[in-house]
Amino acid sequence: MALPANITTVTLSGTYLDLQGNPIRGQVKFTPRSVLIDPTADTILIGSSLTVSLDDNGSFTIVLPATDDSDTNPTGFTYRVEESFTGGRTFDIQLPSSQPSINLADIVPALPSTGTGVQYVTLDQ
């Protein structure tokens, strides 16, 4: 069964590579942080998780309801994103209806480094 026709969706895509350009293997899970109510279609959309596997190129594509669709309540919710692979992170994103197609790399938050910082070595001549 498809989503109600009045629900605005966004196509989200992304590609994961390691520092040598090799595709990452794993999955990415998207969980809405709220139950959505569509009063026009008399429908309740339960916040179940949707998981996509990365393909042979480390890429994925998924279609999700926009987070600011005025036909649903609440508006302005977020999706929790969980990367299931070595070095994967967990963070939240929004998918605005004004952008029907979004690449995850364009909206993923820059998370602070957990390392001890960068050390530089200088050579005096």
Side-chain angles (χ1 to χ4, degrees):
M1 180 176 239
L3 290 173
N6 65 310
I7 301 290
T8 303
T9 59
V10 174
T11 301
L12 180 66
S13 60
T15 301
Y16 290 88
L17 303 175
D18 68 17
L19 291 177
Q20 295 179 323
N22 300 310
I24 296 295
R25 304 268 187 243
Q27 298 178 323
V28 184
K29 181 167 64 170
F30 301 90
T31 307
R33 295 283 201 158
S34 181
V35 171
L36 302 177
I37 298 172
D38 178 0
T40 303
D42 291 329
T43 304
I44 300 169
L45 303 173
I46 301 300
S48 58
S49 297
L50 298 172
T51 301
V52 292
S53 294
L54 301 178
D55 66 16
D56 291 341
N57 297 314
S59 300
F60 75 90
T61 300
I62 188 169
V63 177
L64 298 167
T67 56
D68 64 350
D69 188 341
S70 60
D71 288 331
T72 61
N73 292 313
T75 59
F77 71 95
T78 60
Y79 286 97
R80 178 185 178 128
V81 180
E82 297 175 70
E83 301 169 331
S84 297
F85 46 79
T86 301
R89 305 160 296 165
T90 299
F91 52 89
D92 285 272
I93 60 169
Q94 289 187 310
L95 300 175
S97 57
S98 62
Q99 295 179 280
S101 182
I102 300 175
N103 190 294
L104 185 60
D106 294 335
I107 60 170
V108 66
L111 301 176
S113 170
T114 57
T116 58
V118 177
Q119 296 179 345
Y120 294 94
V121 177
T122 58
L123 301 174
D124 290 330
Q125 294 184 358

